[in-house]
Amino acid sequence: MTLRPVELLQSLASVSRPTIALSEGSDPRIVAGALAAISADIADIILVGPKADIQAELEAQNAPDSSHLSIHDPATSHLTADFAAAFHELRKHKGVDEAKAHSAVMNPVTYAAMLVRLGHATGTVGGAVNTTSDIVRAAIQVIGKAPDAAMVSSFFLMYPPADDGRTMLYSDCGLVIDPSSEELVAIAEASAKSCQSLLRQEPKIAMLSFSTKGSAKHAAVSKVETATQTLRDNRPDLNVDGELQFDAAFVPSVGEKKSPGSNVAGQANVMIFPNLDAGNIGYKITQRLGGYAAIGPIMQGLDKPANDLSRGCVAEDVTQMIAVTALQALAD
């Protein structure tokens, strides 16, 4: 059985306690998820937003006083002036003057990202209220891409309805619309690292297509073939096979028939989709028809962790994403 993020983080008893900034600090789901994370002893929490609104929601949920929870209101925080100066320095080449920089960090999403950039928090989570584009833009502009990452992409953790089922990582299902072969390689490499840090499993990477081993000829198939060969050349330490149809990647009997002798076919736990259409549709079918639990979209390739929630999330999703963000920080 693969431990979910909260349980995995709890099992790492020797690690230092991370601090996660939540940019939508007055949302009832965010508050409930934060309180559950504190109760589970997995993180310290900074709730960002209007102080009066956050305090009112904490009171509504009968939150106990805790040294592990703090409130940051950008309108009154002693850090806001320093954040504005840092944001101005960071974005002045894009025409952001001092007034625009101050206005930017008054936005809780940007303020939370600045907490991470300047070391006041380990990572940040948002998206229960704000759009994915809002969360991703702040993460890329403020936190930035990791020096060793070719690009920023995303993935979902897919947990089976039964304990004996296969836990998988699906990528990219939320960010990169039509990756090139080179970008597919970068997504696969980042996903392999994410599999190791969040699932604690050896990655077995399937490069997915509507073709298996040349069964169809098309430019879309060639893109995946090229990406597979490049990944093998660049990372001989990784287990990778492609191009594979999903059944060949997932079902052992089909994998043995379509790619005999493969140590990935029929056993894959990292599914790399050829484009966002396939990835987004694929994870939703797995979730809605297959009964899998989907945690994500989780971002990878950033210098420090920042993650997006679905606007339809519930408190448990928030708690799990806090744990994911903390585990990503431990892996860096």
Side-chain angles (χ1 to χ4, degrees):
M1 180 181 69
T2 303
L3 296 176
R4 297 199 185 192
V6 168
E7 290 75 25
L8 177 56
L9 192 58
Q10 286 175 320
S11 74
L12 305 175
S14 62
V15 303
S16 60
R17 193 179 180 107
T19 299
I20 306 300
L22 305 179
S23 57
E24 297 151 336
S26 62
D27 184 275
R29 298 162 295 170
I30 295 294
V31 172
L35 294 175
I38 293 170
S39 177
D41 287 327
I42 62 170
D44 290 346
I45 299 295
I46 300 174
L47 295 176
V48 182
K51 186 174 182 178
D53 293 347
I54 294 173
Q55 288 177 326
E57 186 56 41
L58 288 168
E59 290 175 8
Q61 297 196 27
N62 297 312
D65 291 336
S66 173
S67 61
H68 298 295
L69 184 147
S70 59
I71 298 171
H72 283 224
D73 186 341
T76 58
S77 171
H78 70 281
L79 297 174
T80 298
D82 288 343
F83 284 5
F87 189 83
H88 173 243
E89 188 64 27
L90 185 65
R91 302 294 296 170
K92 64 183 180 182
H93 69 288
K94 292 291 187 178
V96 175
D97 59 22
E98 292 180 358
K100 289 180 180 177
H102 185 270
S103 177
V105 301
M106 290 291 288
N107 182 323
V109 174
T110 305
Y111 182 98
M114 290 300 299
L115 283 170
V116 177
R117 178 179 177 85
L118 298 182
H120 300 280
T122 310
T124 181
V125 174
V129 178
N130 291 275
T131 66
T132 293
S133 61
D134 291 333
I135 302 301
V136 172
R137 185 184 307 110
I140 292 175
Q141 289 183 352
V142 175
I143 297 172
K145 184 173 67 66
D148 61 346
M151 63 186 298
V152 176
S153 58
S154 75
F155 63 94
F156 279 80
L157 296 176
M158 307 297 297
Y159 291 89
D163 289 343
D164 58 350
R166 189 186 316 173
T167 304
M168 295 175 287
L169 187 153
Y170 280 18
S171 187
D172 186 330
C173 304
L175 190 59
V176 185
I177 295 174
D178 188 18
S180 65
S181 60
E182 293 82 4
E183 288 172 330
L184 282 177
V185 172
I187 290 168
E189 287 186 298
S191 298
K193 180 180 178 182
S194 295
C195 178
Q196 291 169 323
S197 62
L198 296 178
L199 298 182
R200 292 299 199 266
Q201 295 179 4
E202 187 68 22
K204 294 187 176 184
I205 306 166
M207 307 296 286
L208 298 178
S209 176
F210 63 83
S211 167
T212 295
K213 301 295 185 175
S215 64
K217 300 296 182 184
H218 189 274
V221 177
S222 298
K223 178 179 78 169
V224 179
E225 290 175 331
T226 299
T228 302
Q229 188 57 54
T230 301
L231 183 59
R232 283 175 170 156
D233 292 343
N234 291 354
R235 294 292 304 275
D237 58 306
L238 293 177
N239 293 315
V240 57
D241 200 4
E243 84 285 7
L244 296 175
Q245 292 161 289
F246 187 87
D247 59 348
F250 185 75
V251 181
S253 61
V254 178
E256 178 59 31
K257 181 179 180 180
K258 292 190 174 184
S259 186
S262 172
N263 62 354
V264 172
Q267 309 169 56
N269 57 2
V270 177
M271 304 292 188
I272 305 301
F273 290 86
N275 56 48
L276 193 58
D277 278 336
N280 190 269
I281 293 168
Y283 102 78
K284 289 179 184 291
I285 289 175
T286 305
Q287 179 186 38
R288 300 300 180 181
L289 293 184
Y292 271 63
I295 297 178
I298 301 164
M299 297 174 68
Q300 56 188 3
L302 291 167
D303 196 33
K304 296 179 181 180
N307 283 309
D308 181 34
L309 292 160
S310 165
R311 279 177 284 174
C313 69
V314 296
E316 183 182 356
D317 299 327
V318 176
T319 306
Q320 291 290 355
M321 193 64 85
I322 289 169
V324 164
T325 307
L327 286 167
Q328 286 179 311
L330 293 174
D332 291 340

